[in-house]
Amino acid sequence: MSKKLIWKGEIIWEKHNYNCKYTAWGSWKSPSNPYLKYSWEFLEIFSKGSLTHRGRTRETDLTADEFKEWVYARWDIAPEKDMKKWGHPAMFPEELARRVIKLFTFKGDVVLDPFNGVGTTTKVAKELGRKFIGIDISEEYCLKAEQRLSEVGVKRRKEPERIMLKLFD
């Protein structure tokens, strides 16, 4: 029996990235076709089957202060600055993944990133004691994600601590 995805809400990620030198201007100084630059993105939040996520409350690592701050769905987080190191043009900051994972999962849950890239989500999931699956079609990105995961010092558990699916042409 398949379970539907139910829309829960959205979070506005305010990046404050006002740097204009890397974007098209459209019609420079003319109302003919100005290009609007957005300093935010939306994170759409869905739930599988039910709006309630069942879990053991003692398996949460979300503090009261984090909860109170993060349920206000506008998060001011600077964009990722380390994109050159990992060679990915569209990385998001670890803090963004950390908040989403802590706010919507319990320790031990599985976190799936079907567009894993260089592994920001899977790295943070591992740091937070979640199981994870990261999928990407780029062999280069999968190797970089595995490198990032190997740098996370977490004691090995009985079950596998990670799963990295690689899909190549």
Side-chain angles (χ1 to χ4, degrees):
M1 181 156 141
S2 88
K3 293 185 178 183
K4 294 184 203 176
L5 289 178
I6 302 168
W7 185 79
K8 287 182 81 145
E10 62 191 7
I11 296 167
I12 297 171
W13 169 28
E14 176 57 68
K15 301 184 285 184
H16 300 288
N17 58 342
Y18 303 118
N19 187 346
C20 299
K21 66 182 180 179
Y22 297 112
T23 188
W25 283 88
S27 58
W28 172 246
K29 294 174 56 176
S30 168
S32 67
N33 186 21
Y35 177 81
L36 300 175
K37 293 171 267 176
Y38 298 97
S39 63
W40 66 87
E41 289 187 34
F42 293 102
L43 281 74
E44 300 295 331
I45 308 299
F46 290 86
S47 191
K48 182 178 171 184
S50 167
L51 290 175
T52 303
H53 177 48
R54 304 272 184 235
R56 296 181 306 271
T57 54
R58 69 179 184 271
E59 294 299 320
T60 184
D61 51 0
L62 183 64
T63 69
D65 288 339
E66 288 169 338
F67 184 87
K68 287 186 282 187
E69 180 182 345
W70 297 347
V71 293
Y72 288 99
R74 184 182 181 111
W75 296 351
D76 290 321
I77 303 171
E80 178 59 47
K81 303 251 188 277
D82 213 8
M83 288 188 278
K84 287 183 182 178
K85 176 181 178 184
W86 295 105
H88 194 285
M91 288 178 66
F92 52 87
E94 290 181 16
E95 179 61 20
L96 188 64
R98 185 170 286 103
R99 288 184 187 192
V100 170
I101 291 168
K102 287 183 76 172
L103 189 59
F104 294 103
T105 68
F106 294 101
K107 290 187 281 185
D109 280 351
V110 177
V111 174
L112 167 67
D113 189 340
F115 307 100
N116 198 50
V118 295
T120 301
T121 301
T122 49
K123 176 184 182 286
V124 172
K126 181 176 180 178
E127 290 172 341
L128 293 174
R130 274 57 169 188
K131 300 171 191 168
F132 53 85
I133 301 171
I135 303 170
D136 206 280
I137 62 171
S138 166
E139 182 176 10
E140 175 188 357
Y141 291 165
C142 287
L143 292 171
K144 289 179 180 183
E146 286 180 339
Q147 178 187 350
R148 290 180 81 186
L149 288 168
S150 71
E151 296 172 358
V152 177
V154 175
K155 291 182 181 176
R156 191 178 266 304
R157 295 181 290 232
K158 290 179 184 174
E159 71 272 3
E161 68 177 37
R162 69 176 172 85
I163 301 171
M164 180 64 68
L165 298 179
K166 298 179 187 181
L167 304 176
F168 308 123
D169 290 335

